[in-house]
Amino acid sequence: VWLTPQANEPCLAVLDNGTEFPLPTAAKSGTQLRIDTGTSADSIIVIIDASADLYGKYFYFRAATKGISCAAGKITLKNSTYKISLSKSIFPSGVCRFTLYNGEGTPVNERAAFVWHKDTMRLNLSADYDTGKNSDFVTITLKVFDDKSRPIAGSFSLAVIDTSQVSYSLNTGNLLSYFLLVSEISGDIEDPSYYFQHPKPGAVDVLMLTHDFAKYDHAGPFTHPGYEKEYKVTG
């Protein structure tokens, strides 16, 4: 459900349990940046709009993953919604940040999206254990393949736990979820590996909006810091 508030109109979000949260008052002038990752299976649709007083002005757009630009350009907003369709193939797996800058280079909007190409290594772990014999060891075979089913040679570590003593879930965090998701956004994420096992666009979008909402304070004047003349550590 999309909500379009009027300028200076107060809005209130009410949860099912009755808890109320006042929403920021809508300004008369501003820009809008939306990211659609669910409509197309192979593309990310960027939607940019602005209030009428900003029509004809130019803005800069940038999409980056881990600080590396994947797409960038200069746009001019007109009396219509500006849409950009970007192929997901140009983005590596991970959190991508889409930022809109005004003509002075000041960020005015930012959204984050999660891209997952399922390009991780594939592990095949099997155990050879004869339950009919009183054996005190188990033979474990590990086979590793890349995303194109080609075998990979490398050094790996293995941990064995007793699930009757330690609870374990496939959705709990691991190295993959930490480097590609958890370390890139703020807040505590419950069962981060869920978004790799079940990459549903709707669930991921809600996660990005909840944990990675960016708010910029444009009330004061913008100043550029000067060059440092020396490097000094005091204490």
Side-chain angles (χ1 to χ4, degrees), residues 78-97:
K78 299 180 180 179
N79 190 14
S80 62
T81 302
Y82 195 98
K83 291 186 178 181
I84 309 171
S85 182
L86 301 173
S87 174
K88 291 182 180 179
S89 62
I90 68 175
F91 301 98
S93 291
V95 176
C96 180
R97 300 186 183 279

PDB file of all heavy atoms in Angstrom, residues 78-97:
ATOM      1  N   LYS A  78      11.707  15.483 -15.018  1.00  0.00           N
ATOM      2  CA  LYS A  78      10.681  16.204 -15.763  1.00  0.00           C
ATOM      3  C   LYS A  78       9.316  15.891 -15.158  1.00  0.00           C
ATOM      4  O   LYS A  78       9.230  15.272 -14.104  1.00  0.00           O
ATOM      5  CB  LYS A  78      10.740  15.821 -17.243  1.00  0.00           C
ATOM      6  CG  LYS A  78      12.077  16.154 -17.906  1.00  0.00           C
ATOM      7  CD  LYS A  78      12.088  15.746 -19.369  1.00  0.00           C
ATOM      8  CE  LYS A  78      13.423  16.073 -20.013  1.00  0.00           C
ATOM      9  NZ  LYS A  78      13.485  15.667 -21.447  1.00  0.00           N
ATOM     10  N   ASN A  79       8.287  16.298 -15.851  1.00  0.00           N
ATOM     11  CA  ASN A  79       6.931  16.121 -15.350  1.00  0.00           C
ATOM     12  C   ASN A  79       6.454  14.683 -15.578  1.00  0.00           C
ATOM     13  O   ASN A  79       5.399  14.446 -16.156  1.00  0.00           O
ATOM     14  CB  ASN A  79       5.977  17.104 -16.030  1.00  0.00           C
ATOM     15  CG  ASN A  79       4.608  17.107 -15.365  1.00  0.00           C
ATOM     16  OD1 ASN A  79       4.445  16.586 -14.257  1.00  0.00           O
ATOM     17  ND2 ASN A  79       3.632  17.671 -16.040  1.00  0.00           N
ATOM     18  N   SER A  80       7.246  13.729 -15.148  1.00  0.00           N
ATOM     19  CA  SER A  80       6.895  12.316 -15.243  1.00  0.00           C
ATOM     20  C   SER A  80       7.869  11.512 -14.405  1.00  0.00           C
ATOM     21  O   SER A  80       8.968  11.980 -14.089  1.00  0.00           O
ATOM     22  CB  SER A  80       6.936  11.831 -16.706  1.00  0.00           C
ATOM     23  OG  SER A  80       8.239  11.957 -17.237  1.00  0.00           O
ATOM     24  N   THR A  81       7.485  10.306 -14.035  1.00  0.00           N
ATOM     25  CA  THR A  81       8.343   9.445 -13.236  1.00  0.00           C
ATOM     26  C   THR A  81       9.507   8.925 -14.068  1.00  0.00           C
ATOM     27  O   THR A  81       9.317   8.457 -15.189  1.00  0.00           O
ATOM     28  CB  THR A  81       7.535   8.262 -12.674  1.00  0.00           C
ATOM     29  OG1 THR A  81       6.450   8.760 -11.902  1.00  0.00           O
ATOM     30  CG2 THR A  81       8.409   7.391 -11.796  1.00  0.00           C
ATOM     31  N   TYR A  82      10.693   9.014 -13.540  1.00  0.00           N
ATOM     32  CA  TYR A  82      11.908   8.571 -14.241  1.00  0.00           C
ATOM     33  C   TYR A  82      12.179   7.130 -13.830  1.00  0.00           C
ATOM     34  O   TYR A  82      12.297   6.812 -12.644  1.00  0.00           O
ATOM     35  CB  TYR A  82      13.077   9.475 -13.866  1.00  0.00           C
ATOM     36  CG  TYR A  82      14.275   9.366 -14.764  1.00  0.00           C
ATOM     37  CD1 TYR A  82      14.489  10.271 -15.794  1.00  0.00           C
ATOM     38  CD2 TYR A  82      15.200   8.348 -14.592  1.00  0.00           C
ATOM     39  CE1 TYR A  82      15.592  10.168 -16.627  1.00  0.00           C
ATOM     40  CE2 TYR A  82      16.301   8.232 -15.407  1.00  0.00           C
ATOM     41  CZ  TYR A  82      16.491   9.150 -16.429  1.00  0.00           C
ATOM     42  OH  TYR A  82      17.590   9.034 -17.257  1.00  0.00           O
ATOM     43  N   LYS A  83      12.310   6.234 -14.804  1.00  0.00           N
ATOM     44  CA  LYS A  83      12.560   4.824 -14.526  1.00  0.00           C
ATOM     45  C   LYS A  83      13.838   4.366 -15.215  1.00  0.00           C
ATOM     46  O   LYS A  83      14.086   4.707 -16.365  1.00  0.00           O
ATOM     47  CB  LYS A  83      11.384   3.950 -14.987  1.00  0.00           C
ATOM     48  CG  LYS A  83      10.117   4.126 -14.174  1.00  0.00           C
ATOM     49  CD  LYS A  83       9.052   3.117 -14.606  1.00  0.00           C
ATOM     50  CE  LYS A  83       7.792   3.267 -13.758  1.00  0.00           C
ATOM     51  NZ  LYS A  83       6.752   2.276 -14.157  1.00  0.00           N
ATOM     52  N   ILE A  84      14.626   3.593 -14.475  1.00  0.00           N
ATOM     53  CA  ILE A  84      15.855   3.016 -15.003  1.00  0.00           C
ATOM     54  C   ILE A  84      15.801   1.510 -14.753  1.00  0.00           C
ATOM     55  O   ILE A  84      15.551   1.071 -13.623  1.00  0.00           O
ATOM     56  CB  ILE A  84      17.105   3.606 -14.329  1.00  0.00           C
ATOM     57  CG1 ILE A  84      17.074   5.133 -14.354  1.00  0.00           C
ATOM     58  CG2 ILE A  84      18.374   3.084 -14.975  1.00  0.00           C
ATOM     59  CD1 ILE A  84      18.168   5.765 -13.529  1.00  0.00           C
ATOM     60  N   SER A  85      16.029   0.720 -15.774  1.00  0.00           N
ATOM     61  CA  SER A  85      16.066  -0.734 -15.642  1.00  0.00           C
ATOM     62  C   SER A  85      17.515  -1.197 -15.737  1.00  0.00           C
ATOM     63  O   SER A  85      18.180  -0.979 -16.752  1.00  0.00           O
ATOM     64  CB  SER A  85      15.219  -1.400 -16.725  1.00  0.00           C
ATOM     65  OG  SER A  85      15.225  -2.807 -16.558  1.00  0.00           O
ATOM     66  N   LEU A  86      18.015  -1.805 -14.676  1.00  0.00           N
ATOM     67  CA  LEU A  86      19.405  -2.256 -14.603  1.00  0.00           C
ATOM     68  C   LEU A  86      19.442  -3.778 -14.501  1.00  0.00           C
ATOM     69  O   LEU A  86      18.729  -4.364 -13.683  1.00  0.00           O
ATOM     70  CB  LEU A  86      20.111  -1.636 -13.392  1.00  0.00           C
ATOM     71  CG  LEU A  86      20.153  -0.109 -13.334  1.00  0.00           C
ATOM     72  CD1 LEU A  86      20.734   0.347 -11.997  1.00  0.00           C
ATOM     73  CD2 LEU A  86      20.968   0.450 -14.477  1.00  0.00           C
ATOM     74  N   SER A  87      20.261  -4.397 -15.311  1.00  0.00           N
ATOM     75  CA  SER A  87      20.395  -5.845 -15.256  1.00  0.00           C
ATOM     76  C   SER A  87      21.058  -6.268 -13.943  1.00  0.00           C
ATOM     77  O   SER A  87      22.053  -5.669 -13.515  1.00  0.00           O
ATOM     78  CB  SER A  87      21.220  -6.346 -16.444  1.00  0.00           C
ATOM     79  OG  SER A  87      21.475  -7.730 -16.331  1.00  0.00           O
ATOM     80  N   LYS A  88      20.520  -7.288 -13.302  1.00  0.00           N
ATOM     81  CA  LYS A  88      21.099  -7.774 -12.060  1.00  0.00           C
ATOM     82  C   LYS A  88      22.492  -8.368 -12.277  1.00  0.00           C
ATOM     83  O   LYS A  88      23.276  -8.481 -11.325  1.00  0.00           O
ATOM     84  CB  LYS A  88      20.187  -8.828 -11.435  1.00  0.00           C
ATOM     85  CG  LYS A  88      18.868  -8.277 -10.912  1.00  0.00           C
ATOM     86  CD  LYS A  88      18.023  -9.364 -10.265  1.00  0.00           C
ATOM     87  CE  LYS A  88      16.711  -8.786  -9.764  1.00  0.00           C
ATOM     88  NZ  LYS A  88      15.843  -9.831  -9.139  1.00  0.00           N
ATOM     89  N   SER A  89      22.801  -8.715 -13.513  1.00  0.00           N
ATOM     90  CA  SER A  89      24.097  -9.334 -13.797  1.00  0.00           C
ATOM     91  C   SER A  89      25.264  -8.366 -13.601  1.00  0.00           C
ATOM     92  O   SER A  89      26.414  -8.811 -13.444  1.00  0.00           O
ATOM     93  CB  SER A  89      24.121  -9.870 -15.233  1.00  0.00           C
ATOM     94  OG  SER A  89      23.954  -8.818 -16.169  1.00  0.00           O
ATOM     95  N   ILE A  90      25.011  -7.049 -13.593  1.00  0.00           N
ATOM     96  CA  ILE A  90      26.110  -6.093 -13.408  1.00  0.00           C
ATOM     97  C   ILE A  90      26.459  -5.914 -11.942  1.00  0.00           C
ATOM     98  O   ILE A  90      27.463  -5.271 -11.617  1.00  0.00           O
ATOM     99  CB  ILE A  90      25.764  -4.720 -14.037  1.00  0.00           C
ATOM    100  CG1 ILE A  90      24.629  -4.032 -13.258  1.00  0.00           C
ATOM    101  CG2 ILE A  90      25.401  -4.862 -15.493  1.00  0.00           C
ATOM    102  CD1 ILE A  90      24.330  -2.627 -13.741  1.00  0.00           C
ATOM    103  N   PHE A  91      25.631  -6.479 -11.048  1.00  0.00           N
ATOM    104  CA  PHE A  91      25.883  -6.353  -9.613  1.00  0.00           C
ATOM    105  C   PHE A  91      26.416  -7.670  -9.066  1.00  0.00           C
ATOM    106  O   PHE A  91      25.900  -8.734  -9.391  1.00  0.00           O
ATOM    107  CB  PHE A  91      24.596  -5.999  -8.866  1.00  0.00           C
ATOM    108  CG  PHE A  91      23.956  -4.712  -9.304  1.00  0.00           C
ATOM    109  CD1 PHE A  91      22.906  -4.724 -10.206  1.00  0.00           C
ATOM    110  CD2 PHE A  91      24.401  -3.502  -8.820  1.00  0.00           C
ATOM    111  CE1 PHE A  91      22.307  -3.543 -10.618  1.00  0.00           C
ATOM    112  CE2 PHE A  91      23.812  -2.322  -9.219  1.00  0.00           C
ATOM    113  CZ  PHE A  91      22.765  -2.344 -10.128  1.00  0.00           C
ATOM    114  N   PRO A  92      27.453  -7.639  -8.242  1.00  0.00           N
ATOM    115  CA  PRO A  92      27.875  -8.860  -7.552  1.00  0.00           C
ATOM    116  C   PRO A  92      26.888  -9.198  -6.444  1.00  0.00           C
ATOM    117  O   PRO A  92      26.062  -8.361  -6.046  1.00  0.00           O
ATOM    118  CB  PRO A  92      29.249  -8.475  -6.984  1.00  0.00           C
ATOM    119  CG  PRO A  92      29.166  -6.994  -6.792  1.00  0.00           C
ATOM    120  CD  PRO A  92      28.303  -6.474  -7.899  1.00  0.00           C
ATOM    121  N   SER A  93      26.947 -10.404  -5.946  1.00  0.00           N
ATOM    122  CA  SER A  93      26.078 -10.785  -4.840  1.00  0.00           C
ATOM    123  C   SER A  93      26.389  -9.930  -3.612  1.00  0.00           C
ATOM    124  O   SER A  93      27.548  -9.674  -3.294  1.00  0.00           O
ATOM    125  CB  SER A  93      26.261 -12.272  -4.512  1.00  0.00           C
ATOM    126  OG  SER A  93      25.752 -13.091  -5.536  1.00  0.00           O
ATOM    127  N   GLY A  94      25.335  -9.494  -2.924  1.00  0.00           N
ATOM    128  CA  GLY A  94      25.504  -8.675  -1.734  1.00  0.00           C
ATOM    129  C   GLY A  94      24.536  -7.517  -1.714  1.00  0.00           C
ATOM    130  O   GLY A  94      23.585  -7.454  -2.504  1.00  0.00           O
ATOM    131  N   VAL A  95      24.769  -6.589  -0.796  1.00  0.00           N
ATOM    132  CA  VAL A  95      23.921  -5.419  -0.626  1.00  0.00           C
ATOM    133  C   VAL A  95      24.400  -4.310  -1.554  1.00  0.00           C
ATOM    134  O   VAL A  95      25.563  -3.912  -1.511  1.00  0.00           O
ATOM    135  CB  VAL A  95      23.933  -4.927   0.840  1.00  0.00           C
ATOM    136  CG1 VAL A  95      23.129  -3.641   0.985  1.00  0.00           C
ATOM    137  CG2 VAL A  95      23.376  -6.004   1.762  1.00  0.00           C
ATOM    138  N   CYS A  96      23.505  -3.816  -2.388  1.00  0.00           N
ATOM    139  CA  CYS A  96      23.815  -2.709  -3.296  1.00  0.00           C
ATOM    140  C   CYS A  96      23.078  -1.463  -2.825  1.00  0.00           C
ATOM    141  O   CYS A  96      21.888  -1.519  -2.488  1.00  0.00           O
ATOM    142  CB  CYS A  96      23.405  -3.063  -4.726  1.00  0.00           C
ATOM    143  SG  CYS A  96      23.741  -1.751  -5.917  1.00  0.00           S
ATOM    144  N   ARG A  97      23.785  -0.325  -2.803  1.00  0.00           N
ATOM    145  CA  ARG A  97      23.193   0.936  -2.362  1.00  0.00           C
ATOM    146  C   ARG A  97      22.945   1.837  -3.566  1.00  0.00           C
ATOM    147  O   ARG A  97      23.840   2.099  -4.361  1.00  0.00           O
ATOM    148  CB  ARG A  97      24.107   1.638  -1.361  1.00  0.00           C
ATOM    149  CG  ARG A  97      24.358   0.805  -0.116  1.00  0.00           C
ATOM    150  CD  ARG A  97      25.134   1.555   0.946  1.00  0.00           C
ATOM    151  NE  ARG A  97      25.397   0.695   2.084  1.00  0.00           N
ATOM    152  CZ  ARG A  97      24.517   0.452   3.048  1.00  0.00           C
ATOM    153  NH1 ARG A  97      23.325   1.027   3.006  1.00  0.00           N
ATOM    154  NH2 ARG A  97      24.831  -0.354   4.051  1.00  0.00           N
TER     155      ARG A  97
END
